[in-house]
Structures are given as structure tokens and as C-alpha cells.
Amino acid sequence: MVARGVGPGMAGVLLMAAGVTAFGQSCPAPLAQARRLILVTAESMSTPLASVQIFERAAPAAPWRAVAGAEPVVVGLAGMAWGTGFRHLAGAGEPIKVEGDKRAPAGIYPVGRSFGFAASSRPGYLRLADDTVCVDDLASPAYNTITSRAAVGRTVSGEDMRKIDLYRRGLVVDYPADRAARAGSCIFIHIWRGPGRGTAGCVAMPEAKVASLQDFAQGGAVIAILPRRALERFSGCLPTVDATR
């Protein structure tokens, strides 16, 4: 989901701490067996400015290895809020994700299929059609799903994805639907409007980086979207952040 915003600067650089080992039995389910990780962190939960770094590991109990340097990205215009499955980790004063709050969901989630406008040979690639829609209507049973206008009708609220240029390249974040809790919908990795210009709740970055993540995630990956101060809540599961950079 996209939105416009402004903000100067960029987030700090992430570095992998040597010897960090993730033990599957104590880590969140999306991460426990993962071998590829997209790690997005920000200085706080109230800024759209963030940084991304990607990691791989040989096995679930092996240490993470950085495969690319950190790069600036943006998250929601209002920052982050704890998403479905991770609300119990919210500290005092930390927000909980709700529909329309312009915050990216903090937590760890599987990365789903690639999508975009052009033809692609990537497995499972979703080529956006003129009537492709992602439903953000809390009254609809199709909430938080990508479908077609023909299936849901013209009165259902949703993003007509083919009309959004920033969806020229993207990946679905498999964020769980929770209509009863108004927990947010249509979470993607997509092209940004520019540095510091936040989204309506997605992670956005330069087009070339989106394309590289489409390749990276083909074999399966998870994304962690977190404020840096919360990394310690996943001790032993994630690479660490160099807070001095």
C-alpha cells in the first residue's frame, strides 16, 4: 500500500555480528527454518527512515551471513506498529498495527510471490491485470487478499494495483489477515517515491533493489521489520545491528 510523505536523511548501516546462531526451536515460526532473511530496521517506531540488509545461512542452526551491504529504504509514513502474531512483544507506548494507520507491521513474516506489470519467468509470478485489486475493505470477506474486481465487485474498497506505478515491481509480504482486529492489509515490498518518502504501510526502495529481492526470494525468504531496540527480543534468532553507524 502506497502513500506520500517526506523526511530527510537515512537510517544507519546494519552489520552482522560474528557467530550469531539462530536456534529454530526458540525463534518465531516464520524464521525458525528460514535460510534467507531480509532484515529491515529503523531507529524508532515513529520514523519512515529505515535500512535493509539481506542474509543467508546454510542450515536453520547455522549463523547468518551477510550477502549484501546495508541500503536505505522506507517504511510507513508514520513508522511501524506491532503486527499480527507479534502484538505481545509491544512495550509501553509502542503502537499496535491497525488498518489505515500508515505504519508497517513490525514482526517477522514470510515473503510471498513476486508481482509486477511485465512478463516474468519467475516461479509463481503474479502479472498484474487491469482488474487486479488488493482488498482493504473491512466489510469484505476478501480482506487482505489479491483478487479481481470481477470477483469482488466495484463497490468493495481496494487498491487497483495495475494503476499504481510503484507496483511495477514488487513482492507480497504474507501478512496474516485479521479482519476482526482491523490489523492491516496489502503489505508489500515495492518501488519507492524517493528517499524519506514513506508509504501507507509497506517497505519501499529503489527499483533495482526490488528486482534483486525478487531474485533473492525465489527460493523462499522471510522479512523482519523491526525497530532496532526490539532486536534483543529475538536474541539468538537474528543478526545484530551496529548501533554506532
Side-chain angles (χ1 to χ4, degrees):
M1 188 174 287
V2 298
R4 297 183 181 179
V6 294
M10 61 179 286
V13 177
L14 303 177
L15 294 175
M16 183 183 73
V20 174
T21 301
F23 297 100
Q25 65 271 20
S26 62
C27 298
L31 185 64
Q33 299 301 314
R35 299 192 182 192
R36 293 187 173 187
L37 170 67
I38 301 168
L39 179 60
V40 176
T41 63
E43 288 293 341
S44 74
M45 298 192 81
S46 60
T47 177
L49 307 178
S51 186
V52 65
Q53 192 169 10
I54 61 175
F55 297 85
E56 291 182 332
R57 60 184 176 184
W64 290 107
R65 177 180 65 86
V67 297
E71 299 179 42
V73 299
V74 293
V75 291
L77 181 62
M80 303 176 183
W82 289 102
T84 299
F86 295 89
R87 297 177 191 132
H88 63 287
L89 294 177
E94 292 181 342
I96 301 298
K97 173 70 181 168
V98 294
E99 182 67 41
D101 62 1
K102 293 183 169 54
R103 293 179 182 270
I108 303 170
Y109 304 101
V111 177
R113 64 200 301 191
S114 293
F115 65 83
F117 298 166
S120 172
S121 61
R122 293 183 178 94
Y125 178 80
L126 172 62
R127 186 174 181 179
L128 301 180
D130 288 343
D131 72 339
T132 302
V133 60
C134 189
V135 177
D136 57 17
D137 192 331
L138 288 161
S140 173
Y143 179 70
N144 194 35
T145 65
I146 298 174
T147 180
S148 67
R149 280 289 173 194
V152 297
R154 294 290 164 187
T155 62
V156 169
S157 174
E159 293 189 301
D160 293 315
M161 297 180 69
R162 182 61 180 83
K163 297 178 180 179
I164 299 173
D165 188 55
L166 303 184
Y167 292 167
R168 189 167 57 252
R169 292 183 185 272
L171 295 114
V172 175
V173 176
D174 282 340
Y175 180 67
D178 189 342
R179 185 160 53 120
R182 302 177 63 248
S185 60
C186 306
I187 308 300
F188 306 127
I189 300 168
H190 64 70
I191 301 168
W192 68 5
R193 297 185 188 277
R197 304 184 68 179
T199 73
C202 298
V203 176
M205 59 193 69
E207 183 169 358
K209 186 63 177 179
V210 178
S212 72
L213 290 182
Q214 286 180 322
D215 292 335
F216 177 76
Q218 280 189 74
V222 298
I223 184 169
I225 307 169
L226 296 166
R228 291 195 182 112
R229 66 176 180 238
L231 290 176
E232 64 185 16
R233 301 175 206 178
F234 301 91
S235 179
C237 297
L238 294 170
T240 59
V241 172
D242 181 354
T244 67
R245 298 295 297 273

